[in-house]
Amino acid sequence: MWVLPTGHRFRDVEHHPLLAENDSYDSSSSEADMAERVWFIRDGCGMVCAIMTWLLVVYADFVVTFVMLLPSKDFWYSVINGVLFNCLAVLALSSHLRTMLTDPGAVPKGNATKEYMDNLQLKPGEVIYKCPKCCSIKPERAHHCSICKRCIRKMDHHCPWVNNCVGEKNQRFFVLFTMYIALISAHALILCGFQFFSCVRGQWTECSDFSPPVTVILMIFLCLEGFLFLTFTAVMFGTQIHSICNDETEIERLKSEKPTWERRLRWEGMKSVFGGQPSLLWINPFAGFRIRRLLLRAKKGGPEFSV
């Protein structure tokens, strides 16, 4: 426990000393820096998982388009299902990119200085916490991620499949990612069922441009992939919606932390994560995206927060 001259109490879980007063830290410039840089985590496992996610979606799109839909004799069946599946795939991958490249709510590093704490204008006797790993003042509900090496506001968990933490600023995109992956997985399974039925009822040589053994192998792998991804993402989607409606992150639930904040339940929680009143913007991963701003950020320093 550290007692500051202003009467504030400073709690450090691991008794790590404060940064020296002459340590250079400009909170305003740091926050501005964060807003002007592209977020990307250089984690080997996370990058491999992210690439695998894209390859699996591309594989599913290949099988659906070239094995099942294009050889079909029903023109409108192929067009409608092809457009629907590819639109869902684009939305899923766009949500994945937004989740991966969006700052999840990182706390600036090294802001545990006396000058910064004086600027917080805390009440006398108020306790503040410092993370001994990234030397930052931890806001309420923030937790340290050992992979991102940062404290993340409202951190839910670190997901290797999106190579990023799921936190305050990118939870919406993660929810959309799990929803769209679950939808294309269910769609792929339905199409596989129709394809097997039509092939068994007719001639295997006529239901696909590939040979029967290759067609069966490709569709079996697609069914396994679709079933696994549907199960995983549907469960994740459900737990995320439950967490949002109860205003409780997964970490807080596992640690059984008693809420010291005013909870936003149900629709209030949904509106705080997705923004505003219910609308189509809630399910649009492109909402708020500016290509020009992204290019400017890349020119100003690239992946500033790479680890």
Side-chain angles (χ1 to χ4, degrees):
M1 178 79 69
W2 298 81
V3 182
L4 305 180
T6 55
H8 309 306
R9 291 180 295 166
F10 188 87
R11 186 183 298 275
D12 188 335
V13 177
E14 296 183 15
H15 303 290
H16 192 286
L18 277 169
L19 295 179
E21 292 185 28
N22 57 357
D23 284 349
S24 59
Y25 175 78
D26 186 341
S27 60
S28 59
S29 64
S30 179
E31 293 286 356
D33 225 23
M34 291 173 68
E36 296 298 329
R37 305 287 180 142
V38 175
W39 177 275
F40 181 74
I41 302 300
R42 289 182 183 173
D43 174 58
C45 176
M47 289 189 287
V48 170
C49 290
I51 293 172
M52 284 180 59
T53 301
W54 276 67
L55 291 178
L56 288 170
V57 173
V58 170
Y59 169 79
D61 188 68
F62 169 79
V63 176
V64 167
T65 303
F66 293 98
V67 177
M68 292 189 282
L69 296 182
L70 287 182
S72 176
K73 297 178 181 179
D74 190 334
F75 175 77
W76 288 111
Y77 171 83
S78 299
V79 170
I80 293 174
N81 282 286
V83 170
L84 178 60
F85 188 88
N86 282 276
C87 285
L88 290 175
V90 169
L91 290 171
L93 294 178
S94 300
S95 301
H96 183 271
L97 274 180
R98 293 300 301 273
T99 308
M100 183 170 61
L101 300 179
T102 299
D103 173 8
V107 179
K109 279 184 177 180
N111 64 355
T113 63
K114 180 179 180 299
E115 178 186 0
Y116 178 74
M117 287 183 286
D118 289 340
N119 293 333
L120 293 178
Q121 298 180 347
L122 300 172
K123 298 178 181 179
E126 187 172 351
V127 177
I128 54 178
Y129 295 86
K130 178 176 78 72
C131 176
K133 298 176 182 177
C134 59
C135 294
S136 63
I137 300 298
K138 293 181 68 173
E140 189 177 39
R141 307 184 69 183
H143 292 85
H144 186 86
C145 175
S146 58
I147 299 176
C148 295
K149 299 179 182 178
R150 300 291 289 274
C151 283
I152 308 296
R153 294 182 179 91
K154 290 183 67 175
M155 176 181 170
D156 188 84
H157 68 285
H158 184 95
C159 179
W161 295 104
V162 297
N163 189 33
N164 202 359
C165 276
V166 178
E168 185 178 60
K169 295 183 179 180
N170 67 346
Q171 187 176 24
R172 171 193 167 214
F173 301 120
F174 182 75
V175 172
L176 294 181
F177 168 66
T178 56
M179 181 184 75
Y180 286 124
I181 290 294
L183 288 176
I184 64 172
S185 299
H187 192 194
L189 289 173
I190 293 172
L191 291 176
C192 282
F194 278 113
Q195 187 73 9
F196 273 119
F197 179 76
S198 62
C199 289
V200 170
R201 187 180 59 178
Q203 296 292 329
W204 277 94
T205 55
E206 296 179 0
C207 69
S208 175
D209 293 337
F210 294 85
S211 63
V214 173
T215 301
V216 171
I217 291 174
L218 291 174
M219 291 177 62
I220 288 176
F221 273 110
L222 179 60
C223 287
L224 292 174
E225 176 191 344
F227 176 77
L228 292 174
F229 268 71
L230 175 60
T231 304
F232 175 73
T233 55
V235 170
M236 286 301 301
F237 176 78
T239 56
Q240 287 295 301
I241 295 297
H242 181 269
S243 296
I244 293 172
C245 290
N246 287 278
D247 196 12
E248 182 182 46
T249 66
E250 188 65 17
I251 291 179
E252 292 165 350
R253 186 186 68 82
L254 292 174
K255 290 186 175 181
S256 299
E257 295 183 0
K258 294 182 179 180
T260 57
W261 60 93
E262 185 179 353
R263 282 189 167 182
R264 298 176 178 178
L265 300 180
R266 299 179 178 83
W267 279 112
E268 290 301 319
M270 294 289 288
K271 286 190 287 186
S272 68
V273 172
F274 289 90
Q277 296 296 325
S279 68
L280 291 177
L281 293 177
W282 279 23
I283 59 174
N284 179 14
F286 300 103
F289 179 71
R290 298 290 184 273
I291 296 180
R292 183 179 179 183
R293 185 185 302 174
L294 181 63
L295 294 176
L296 288 174
R297 287 179 180 177
K299 291 180 180 178
K300 288 185 178 181
E304 171 66 13
F305 300 108
S306 303
V307 177

